[in-house]
Amino acid sequence: MNYQETTNWLFSQLPMYHLQGASAYKKDLTNIQILVNHLNNPQKNLNCIHVAGTNGKGSTSHMIASILEEAGYKVGLYTSPHLKDFRERIKINGIEIPEDFVCDFINKNKVFFEANDMSFFEMTVGLAFDYFAKEKVDIAIIEVGMGGRLDATNIITPLISVITNIALDHTQFLGNTVEAIAFEKAGIIKPKIPIVIGEYTTETKPVFLAKAAANNSEIYFAANLVIAEYQSDLIGDYQVHNKKTAIETITVLKSQNQFKVSEANIENGLLYVIKNTGLQGRWQQLGENPKIICDTAHNKNGLEIVMKQIQKEKFDTLHIVLGVVNDKDLDEVLPLFPKNAIYYFCKPNIPRGLDTQILKEKAIDFGLKGEVFNSVSESYKKALQSASKSDFIYIGGSTFVVAEIL
């Protein structure tokens, strides 16, 4: 199979959470353990940093990777989901995994995958471990897909574990209280492996402290850091928390005496995250006059911050291109959106995309008014046609809406 055929097979033949939802979620690590054994346990040859969290884990992972790249290391970076190309998930020093490697890996192991009912995510994790080990990266930054305790990435023994923050998201899998979700995320804490906590609340801090104590793991709270004003090409207001988490993680890593990172490496790493890693979709500006911003924030915690940042902008009229997935709690997220905006309702082009008419009717309940469009691109084109140079266009609600625009 060529690359297109290979990725078509990956996407269409096997369960994948971000397309299908609950049916793709597996409740133990048996399959991934079978897979890595089949691959001769490549993860055991990797130095890893493991990053979990409700929001910010992608940005934080990319910041850490960028800093280590600036320090001269060969850095593997595994993240999800991708926006445009599957290969965005697996990079070394910002360069995506070659198409040939993806094809060879799938073609070589396809019979095994089918025989053992491997999920899309399990195969992708196995691919990343195999690629990073064969390329002999100095360190790999591994982002959790969802949760932590039962995530397929949770078979690694990292140098450091990181949890960025906790908020209510994926409640059908992880629990419907922040304490329950914190317990799932804290499942990445390993015996005697230091843990960095980005943000915490009075509800989540005891969960982290108890898990760290049970594992005899040093725990560090990055939110307590007082840091210099580091500039970054990631300009969303929420990035201040992620900067602290990344810096604390690098500080702990340096204390282990395996990696040398200078202050200049930290400064340049934060300044050139997009350049070094290719990260997209975080308060990303797509145009000027009118100013156009897209952002992948999709749950209450992330959207609250983004909506506050929009209100800091100067504009005459606000245009919002909005689409969501069908398991989104609209009663929780729609009240966050401003009523004084023109809405362009759309459906992301995936099976989980929420029907636009349902979204519009629910939005009306919260005073959000606008029109329904047949596609994300059509709604975006209409917003561009309608907006004057002094207006502001925001595109979001779902990672998949942003992906279609990019």
Side-chain angles (χ1 to χ4, degrees):
M1 295 188 294
N2 62 27
Y3 178 68
Q4 190 61 55
E5 291 166 341
T6 300
T7 52
N8 286 346
W9 180 81
L10 272 166
F11 295 141
S12 65
Q13 297 300 314
L14 295 173
M16 180 163 58
Y17 169 72
H18 85 261
L19 291 183
Q20 288 182 261
S23 65
Y25 188 61
K26 296 189 177 180
K27 294 188 178 296
D28 61 52
L29 299 176
T30 302
N31 256 29
I32 189 63
Q33 195 62 63
I34 291 169
L35 175 55
V36 292
N37 288 343
H38 170 72
L39 298 173
N40 297 316
N41 290 291
Q43 80 284 359
K44 292 185 177 179
N45 297 319
L46 300 174
N47 291 314
C48 296
I49 294 175
H50 202 191
V51 184
T54 304
N55 295 307
K57 61 183 184 290
S59 294
T60 300
S61 296
H62 283 78
M63 285 178 179
I64 295 168
S66 181
I67 290 167
L68 290 168
E69 282 180 45
E70 287 287 341
Y73 294 106
K74 188 174 186 180
V75 184
L77 178 60
Y78 173 75
T79 58
S80 62
H82 62 274
L83 288 173
K84 298 300 288 181
D85 185 343
F86 168 79
R87 297 181 304 134
E88 295 167 29
R89 295 168 178 255
I90 303 169
K91 298 179 181 179
I92 295 176
N93 286 15
I95 306 298
E96 295 171 357
I97 185 172
E99 291 182 359
D100 287 350
F101 195 100
V102 177
C103 295
D104 291 346
F105 179 83
I106 297 299
N107 290 331
K108 179 181 176 183
N109 297 291
K110 186 167 177 279
V111 172
F112 176 85
F113 294 151
E114 291 174 329
N116 290 277
D117 190 30
M118 290 292 159
S119 73
F120 171 91
F121 195 74
E122 288 160 349
M123 288 190 297
T124 306
V125 169
L127 170 62
F129 291 161
D130 189 62
Y131 179 58
F132 294 155
K134 284 176 176 165
E135 288 294 315
K136 295 181 168 58
V137 298
D138 297 312
I139 191 166
I141 316 305
I142 307 295
E143 181 193 354
V144 167
M146 182 173 64
R149 182 173 64 93
L150 300 176
D151 189 75
T153 62
N154 202 28
I155 54 165
I156 59 175
T157 302
L159 301 175
I160 305 168
S161 302
V162 180
I163 300 173
T164 57
N165 65 16
I166 303 297
L168 292 175
D169 200 17
H170 302 307
T171 53
Q172 66 271 49
F173 307 110
L174 306 179
N176 52 19
T177 67
V178 289
E179 293 92 339
I181 294 173
F183 175 80
E184 292 298 324
K185 308 284 186 189
I188 70 167
I189 298 175
K190 305 289 197 309
K192 297 184 178 179
I193 303 296
I195 173 73
V196 173
I197 305 297
E199 299 172 73
Y200 61 88
T201 66
T202 52
E203 294 88 4
T204 62
K205 189 174 185 179
V207 178
F208 298 141
L209 287 171
K211 186 68 173 179
N215 282 278
N216 196 22
S217 300
E218 288 283 336
I219 188 166
Y220 302 85
F221 291 97
N224 301 336
L225 275 183
V226 178
I227 62 172
E229 183 56 45
Y230 291 96
Q231 298 299 309
S232 178
D233 53 1
L234 298 182
I235 56 175
D237 287 358
Y238 49 82
Q239 298 296 359
V240 64
H241 303 295
N242 299 328
K243 285 180 195 174
K244 286 187 176 185
T245 308
I247 291 167
E248 182 75 327
T249 303
I250 293 295
T251 301
V252 175
L253 182 67
K254 286 170 63 179
S255 73
Q256 298 175 349
N257 297 317
Q258 277 184 261
F259 292 85
K260 290 183 169 61
V261 182
S262 70
E263 178 64 21
N265 298 150
I266 294 173
E267 288 180 9
N268 289 329
L270 293 174
L271 187 58
Y272 301 119
V273 179
I274 295 171
K275 174 171 160 281
N276 288 340
T277 68
L279 178 63
Q280 294 190 84
R282 273 63 171 188
W283 196 259
Q284 182 174 346
Q285 186 165 341
L286 303 180
E288 190 73 62
N289 301 320
K291 188 170 185 178
I292 306 166
I293 294 288
C294 68
D295 195 281
T296 55
H298 57 275
N299 56 35
K300 182 181 179 182
N301 182 260
L303 285 166
E304 276 179 333
I305 299 170
V306 170
M307 291 303 119
K308 286 177 183 173
Q309 187 162 357
I310 288 174
Q311 296 308 324
K312 294 179 184 178
E313 297 284 337
K314 292 180 180 176
F315 51 79
D316 288 341
T317 303
L318 175 60
H319 305 260
I320 296 183
V321 176
L322 181 64
V324 298
V325 292
N326 59 21
D327 54 2
K328 189 59 56 188
D329 184 349
L330 297 179
D331 289 329
E332 185 175 70
V333 298
L334 288 179
L336 304 174
F337 285 86
K339 294 181 176 65
N340 59 337
I342 300 169
Y343 285 84
Y344 305 78
F345 299 112
C346 54
K347 174 182 178 289
N349 188 27
I350 58 168
R352 280 175 65 220
L354 179 67
D355 180 83
T356 48
Q357 203 58 46
I358 296 173
L359 177 59
K360 178 185 177 181
E361 289 170 7
K362 193 69 177 177
I364 289 171
D365 293 342
F366 296 97
L368 313 180
K369 296 176 182 176
E371 295 304 318
V372 163
F373 295 88
N374 292 323
S375 67
V376 173
S377 61
E378 189 179 309
S379 59
Y380 179 45
K381 284 174 186 170
K382 183 62 176 177
L384 284 172
Q385 290 170 4
S386 303
S388 69
K389 289 184 177 182
S390 55
D391 288 354
F392 186 97
I393 299 174
Y394 174 78
I395 305 153
S398 166
T399 299
F400 309 106
V401 170
V402 173
E404 289 187 50
I405 295 301
L406 294 177

